[in-house]
Amino acid sequence: MIIGYARVSSTSQSLDIQHEALAAAGAEKIFFEKVSARSTTDREQLMLAMSFAREGDALIVTRLDRLACSVGDLHRIIEVLTKKGVGFKCLNQPGVDTDTSTSHLMLAMLAAVSSFEAGIWREREVEGVWMARAAGKYRGRPASIDPMKIKELKAGGMGAAAIAKQMRICRASVYRALAA
């Protein structure tokens, strides 16, 4: 059986193009996800796809970065699939599969490049924030906690847990505001 896996990073993005490509490639079952690939632990549909796959099946994705953004995660995923006897193919990057040792090498090299690119993007993002802060254009996220309101509620007899629930913040934030 051919199993497809499609992923986008945010809920505003569409999975339609990936779905069409996976279906055209013969995927009989497709797992969809709208979540960041920075970690595999939060990717429920990926875990379901991997547990659904049986020996002789193949997991396909449209692009390698849909599966993993780090070399370590990619190797762990491929290792799990290989131990189960499940193949892997990447549609838009020919030669990226688990059929031969050369394919494994190509997969490792592309994963390293992908991980390198992700690192560069993060560095640029941090650099951009620092430049914007220096220019006075970036102030960060506005404070979501009103310390005066917390103190008023506490003076009115409310406990920390009730204040946190009402203001939709954690109790630790209540204690910090009260201590200030």
Side-chain angles (χ1 to χ4, degrees):
M1 173 182 250
I2 298 175
I3 301 162
Y5 175 72
R7 184 195 61 78
V8 290
S9 297
S10 71
T11 56
S12 63
Q13 293 175 307
S14 173
L15 290 159
D16 294 344
I17 293 172
Q18 290 180 61
H19 179 263
E20 290 171 14
L22 294 169
E28 300 167 57
K29 176 119 175 106
I30 302 173
F31 292 84
F32 301 97
E33 211 152 36
K34 291 189 174 191
V35 65
S36 171
R38 288 194 177 174
S39 170
T40 56
T41 57
D42 300 332
R43 294 168 56 200
E44 182 181 319
Q45 292 300 306
L46 174 61
M47 296 303 137
L48 286 173
M50 291 171 60
S51 65
F52 179 81
R54 301 289 177 249
E55 186 174 352
D57 289 348
L59 180 70
I60 62 172
V61 295
T62 55
R63 291 191 340 247
L64 197 56
D65 65 344
R66 301 298 87 203
L67 186 65
C69 284
S70 79
V71 177
D73 282 346
L74 180 67
H75 285 297
R76 281 188 288 281
I77 292 167
I78 297 301
E79 183 178 346
V80 168
L81 294 174
T82 302
K83 283 182 180 176
K84 289 182 77 171
V86 176
F88 171 73
K89 289 200 185 299
C90 184
L91 301 178
N92 293 349
Q93 293 158 318
V96 178
D97 55 43
T98 55
D99 291 344
T100 66
S101 57
T102 303
S103 301
H104 278 278
L105 174 63
M106 181 65 120
L107 192 60
M109 289 188 325
L110 285 173
V113 169
S114 178
S115 180
F116 174 71
E117 282 182 333
I120 287 175
W121 289 336
R122 281 189 290 277
E123 288 173 7
R124 286 182 184 153
E125 180 181 16
V126 169
E127 185 178 287
V129 167
W130 281 108
M131 289 174 63
R133 279 187 182 152
K137 295 179 182 176
Y138 181 87
R139 296 179 190 357
R141 182 172 58 108
S144 60
I145 299 172
D146 181 358
M148 294 306 293
K149 174 130 174 119
I150 292 172
K151 290 177 183 177
E152 287 172 15
L153 292 171
K154 181 65 176 172
M158 285 183 83
I163 294 170
K165 185 174 183 178
Q166 180 177 330
M167 296 188 70
R168 296 183 179 178
I169 58 175
C170 67
R171 276 193 335 230
S173 296
V174 172
Y175 293 129
R176 275 194 300 275
L178 292 172

